[in-house]
Amino acid sequence: MGDHFPRGKTAVAGAATFGVGEAPGFSAMEIAARATQLALGDAGIALSEVDGLFIALPDDLFGALSFAQYLGIHPRFTDNNRAGGASFMSHLVTAVMMLDAGYLDCAVIAYGANQRSSGGKLSTPARADRWDGPYAPMYPLSFYALAAARHMHAFGTTREHMAEVAVAARAWANTNPEAFAKGPLTIADCLAARMISTPISVRDCCLVTDGGAAMVLVRSDRARDCPQPPVPILGAAAATWYNSLSQAEDATITAAAESGPRAMAMAGVTPAEIDVVQVYDAFTINTILFLEDLGFCAKGEGGSFVADGRIAPGGALAVNTNGGGLSCCHPGMYGMFAMVEAVRQMRRQAANQIDGAQLALAHGNGGTLSAQATVIFGASDTI
Amino acid sequence: MTGAAQLWDEALAAGKLLLQRPVCGGAALFPPREFAPGTGEELEWIEASGRGTVYSVTWIQRRPPEAPYNVVLIDLDEGARMMGRVEHVTPDTLAIGMAVQARIAEGPLVVFDVVPAGER
């Protein structure tokens, strides 16, 4: 046993975002609550029907309890899983299994943060541990920098390759009304950007925005009666190999190399069949690492894979079609937005819709490349 | 009774860089643990040679005139990896793959010096 997954038995019936970009005057909880209200409206499901709550908030360790109180409901089950930006994909795994088992009937996964309006920098209670901390690495940035430097050393990946990721994300954002960062961005702009922790410059970093998102999950028979096209969940897997990147066996290989193949095996699909890919691009190196680890190219070839606009609009593979954390939004834990964009693509409602897309992959990352979780969504006519 | 982390701290304060390894063999490990990760086997303490190799490096920029400082990952010869800092180097004189030697600096804190080519 292990990795038994109820392929297609559950579906996303509602999805929404709220306050993407700037939401001055709103608390994280208020943003999450508004996103939940919109997602429930989208699903045509009443708040009183929600019996499972899954949430990770930036600074509330008992987030789901506070959220239940705020919403005024008495859920059968709450989950505050904190795997950083991969939390929400992990929430989804639990929610799907509980829905399929009949323990829950309607699960909400939600997130909200106001880090742009409240402080202007990444809001996280996480920090380097006692073994790494004395050397004053920037948390989490320097850990990604160490992985990037090693990837460059091992495979000849360049800053130009990393810049390609940022430029592609911006190109997608430029035609997404919801995206926060718009305007021209060139490889030269990225290479000239202020260095922060070598080889990561400010243009290799995700945004600092506000924003929230929520999804409503039900069993597929119920989803078919909801107003929106149901988005079946075909596979989902989480993997953790360490917390601090300093303890990675190989800093160029993440646990996405486990979560991706497991999720795709559950779904019965291969990387070549995936039409749209949404990965958590906290830093440009992430996209390169995850495209390799998820099997879209061989280990070490991520740099050349993203070169020449191959993941930009019109390229060989549609990656982060909303503009990603680099140019759409990044309220601190982006995973939720990767899933909502995948859902929009499967419903044929995305701002940058990929024609005929039947399979979408959403990949979350948390900590210092630590927590990895992958979800495969289908379109309503995929199964 | 003392946990492994505190024992390591006490040894460092006494001027020793300790590592652990499984009693039945295998690579050394760091940070200290109560038992071998993955297997649960019993561990023994060994004193590290302090020899290592730079696995990765990042230079953290600061507002001038403050100079950038480095944060490195070091592969110790015994098989463990740890975060660290290499002293008396610049971005031009520190690279992945270089040989380094651990030293216990004030703090106490384990720091590293580059071993000149040919001295190892």
Side-chain angles (χ1 to χ4, degrees):
Chain A
M1 273 309 262
D3 272 356
H4 175 76
F5 191 84
R7 178 183 185 274
K9 295 286 181 59
T10 64
V12 180
T17 58
F18 178 82
V20 167
E22 290 181 322
F26 283 89
S27 71
M29 180 65 83
E30 289 166 346
I31 293 169
R34 284 291 186 186
T36 298
Q37 182 184 45
L38 291 170
L40 285 166
D42 186 55
I45 290 176
L47 178 60
S48 58
E49 293 183 65
V50 176
D51 59 3
L53 272 188
F54 300 77
I55 193 168
L57 289 167
D59 52 6
D60 186 343
L61 296 179
F62 293 159
L65 315 185
S66 309
F67 199 41
Q69 171 185 303
Y70 191 94
L71 297 176
I73 60 173
H74 298 176
R76 295 174 202 272
F77 185 77
T78 63
D79 185 347
N80 310 281
N81 178 312
R82 298 186 73 85
S87 301
F88 314 99
M89 285 77 169
S90 293
H91 292 153
L92 178 141
V93 172
T94 311
V96 163
M97 302 314 264
M98 297 186 89
L99 287 166
D100 183 58
Y103 195 100
L104 295 178
D105 291 325
C106 178
V108 162
I109 308 174
Y111 172 65
N114 63 345
Q115 62 175 8
R116 183 175 185 86
S117 297
S118 65
K121 60 181 187 184
L122 177 68
S123 167
T124 174
R127 57 181 62 86
D129 68 22
R130 62 164 287 192
W131 309 104
D132 298 339
Y135 303 102
M138 295 177 72
Y139 185 93
L141 193 153
S142 293
F143 294 82
Y144 291 81
L146 288 163
R150 184 70 195 181
H151 200 275
M152 290 170 136
H153 172 81
F155 304 116
T157 308
T158 64
R159 285 196 60 216
E160 286 80 355
H161 289 142
M162 287 159 59
E164 287 270 3
V165 174
V167 168
R170 179 60 58 86
W172 288 111
N174 279 337
T175 52
N176 176 10
E178 192 173 52
F180 182 70
K182 293 202 177 73
L185 182 70
T186 66
I187 301 288
D189 293 336
C190 297
L191 296 179
R194 178 172 61 87
M195 188 55 71
I196 298 177
S197 182
T198 60
I200 290 180
S201 79
V202 67
R203 288 277 82 83
D204 293 302
C205 299
C206 58
L207 303 170
V208 174
T209 71
D210 303 328
M215 299 198 313
V216 180
L217 272 58
V218 295
R219 283 180 291 278
S220 291
D221 53 355
R222 171 85 193 273
R224 280 190 284 274
D225 297 331
C226 293
Q228 295 286 350
V231 175
I233 299 161
L234 306 181
T240 301
W241 292 351
Y242 51 79
N243 187 6
S244 171
L245 177 97
S246 60
Q247 294 304 311
E249 187 175 324
D250 181 335
T252 69
I253 305 176
T254 75
E258 177 193 328
S259 68
R262 280 174 48 210
M264 284 185 260
M266 293 169 194
V269 303
T270 63
E273 294 173 280
I274 305 285
D275 300 299
V276 284
V277 178
Q278 314 296 336
V279 296
Y280 189 156
D281 53 347
F283 302 95
T284 51
I285 190 66
N286 293 35
T287 303
I288 291 170
L289 290 170
F290 297 149
L291 289 173
E292 294 173 349
D293 292 337
L294 295 169
F296 293 97
C297 62
K299 179 50 63 183
E301 293 177 6
S304 53
F305 186 84
V306 303
D308 305 319
R310 292 185 76 252
I311 61 168
L317 183 65
V319 177
N320 291 358
T321 48
N322 58 349
L326 290 165
S327 277
C328 179
C329 68
H330 189 276
M333 291 186 275
Y334 174 80
M336 212 49 225
F337 300 89
M339 289 203 289
V340 169
E341 175 64 9
V343 166
R344 287 173 173 168
Q345 287 285 351
M346 292 297 89
R347 288 180 177 188
R348 320 279 195 258
Q349 296 169 355
N352 295 309
Q353 183 61 45
I354 303 305
D355 287 341
Q358 291 285 338
L359 289 168
L361 179 151
H363 182 77
N365 162 72
T368 57
L369 292 166
S370 329
Q372 304 295 328
T374 312
V375 181
I376 311 294
F377 296 102
S380 60
D381 52 350
T382 299
I383 56 170
Chain B
M1 286 289 282
T2 304
Q6 188 178 322
L7 277 170
W8 188 88
D9 286 342
E10 289 167 1
L12 191 71
K16 285 186 174 156
L17 171 55
L18 294 188
L19 297 173
Q20 293 165 297
R21 69 179 174 205
V23 290
C24 35
L29 63 98
F30 180 87
R33 288 180 174 82
E34 294 298 310
F35 46 81
T39 64
E41 282 171 10
E42 196 183 334
L43 295 170
E44 63 185 1
W45 293 99
I46 54 170
E47 191 165 353
S49 66
R51 288 192 298 270
T53 307
V54 179
Y55 178 77
S56 192
V57 57
T58 183
W59 285 88
I60 298 169
Q61 312 298 305
R62 291 184 288 185
R63 199 178 296 277
E66 292 282 310
Y69 64 95
N70 69 73
V71 172
V72 294
L73 296 177
I74 300 294
D75 279 341
L76 296 169
D77 279 10
E78 289 82 359
R81 182 175 299 155
M82 68 183 295
M83 189 166 272
R85 176 171 74 233
V86 181
E87 302 214 314
H88 312 299
V89 288
T90 68
D92 293 332
T93 60
L94 178 64
I96 292 173
M98 280 184 169
V100 292
Q101 176 68 43
R103 170 166 57 83
I104 299 173
E106 217 167 297
L109 182 68
V110 179
V111 298
F112 295 86
D113 298 301
V114 169
V115 177
E119 285 189 23
R120 181 133 173 218

